[in-house]
Amino acid sequence: MPRPANPETRSRLLKKGGDLVSTRGFNATGVQEITAAAGVPKGSFYNYFESKEAFAVEVLTEYWDSVLATYGPILADHGTPPLARIARYFAGLVEFHERRRYAVGCLIGNMAIEVTPSSESVRIKLAAIYRQWMASLTECLREAQAQSELPAGKDPAQVAAALVDAFEGAVTRAKVERSRSPFDSFEGFVLPALVT
């Protein structure tokens, strides 16, 4: 009779394996490296994940849940004007990348480029994350429009999509250049142009 799955072991596999996938890439990280980093036997990986692809979906879920928990409350802070909340939100994300010395990039963007050509389940998960990300920004932008901060002629959903696209592009270029410069451009030019 197989031993029941241990939630601590699963959590360790996701944490240690997620760190490896973030820094080395999904395809360059094997199950052996993931289990070694987590300190568990290689065979036990499949007690927790049906496949490496299923593991990738769970790593993305953990990553996005962490982003929501850390930065989501900024957008929901109704004591601050909506556009100021959006600026603070992106500033927080920039600080996250700065702490990592711009070297790692965004797991969402990295997986979108590396894994979606070969994995439909990862593509579906990423599409859901992008929709959720844009929806939270759209809600804040609608509030900005109701308070006459965002011009009436701007479509909040289109602005939200453009913000996500532009920010993810800045993350990718910052990773390549190991520089804050793309974020300065996003914060100084792109964000103001989209919301005024």
Side-chain angles (χ1 to χ4, degrees):
M1 180 172 186
R3 284 181 8 186
N6 180 337
E8 251 181 59
T9 302
R10 184 179 187 280
S11 178
R12 203 162 61 247
L13 283 163
L14 284 169
K15 169 74 176 90
K16 298 295 187 179
D19 289 346
L20 284 174
V21 168
S22 288
T23 55
R24 297 175 60 188
F26 180 75
N27 293 327
T29 304
V31 170
Q32 176 70 50
E33 288 92 354
I34 293 166
T35 53
V40 300
K42 181 179 179 183
S44 68
F45 179 88
Y46 296 101
N47 293 335
Y48 299 93
F49 309 100
E50 185 180 302
S51 63
K52 191 178 166 205
E53 191 176 313
F55 170 77
V57 170
E58 290 301 316
V59 165
L60 280 166
T61 300
E62 294 265 316
Y63 180 84
W64 181 241
D65 287 350
S66 171
V67 169
L68 286 177
T70 305
Y71 303 102
I74 296 170
L75 292 177
D77 174 14
H78 297 287
T80 303
L83 292 186
R85 294 193 321 246
I86 288 173
R88 277 185 49 220
Y89 172 81
F90 282 111
L93 292 176
V94 169
E95 285 172 16
F96 167 78
H97 291 289
E98 192 169 38
R99 285 192 302 273
R100 300 170 99 192
R101 304 168 106 174
Y102 313 110
V104 177
C106 171
L107 185 64
I108 296 164
N110 293 348
M111 293 283 251
I113 292 165
E114 184 182 11
V115 185
T116 54
S118 59
S119 171
E120 183 66 3
S121 61
V122 170
R123 188 196 68 75
I124 289 167
K125 179 63 186 178
L126 286 165
I129 288 171
Y130 280 126
R131 281 193 303 274
Q132 191 175 8
W133 191 0
M134 290 183 289
S136 61
L137 288 167
T138 299
E139 187 179 328
C140 200
L141 288 161
R142 283 197 178 114
E143 231 185 289
Q145 209 163 46
Q147 296 177 21
S148 300
E149 280 195 313
L150 183 70
K154 295 222 172 184
D155 179 339
Q158 286 183 336
V159 173
L163 285 170
V164 169
D165 293 345
F167 188 77
E168 284 290 277
V171 171
T172 301
R173 194 161 66 85
K175 179 181 174 182
V176 170
E177 296 179 2
R178 300 286 200 274
S179 162
R180 187 190 161 88
S181 172
F183 293 124
D184 291 338
S185 176
F186 175 85
E187 291 178 316
F189 300 101
V190 177
L191 181 57
L194 286 172
V195 298
T196 55

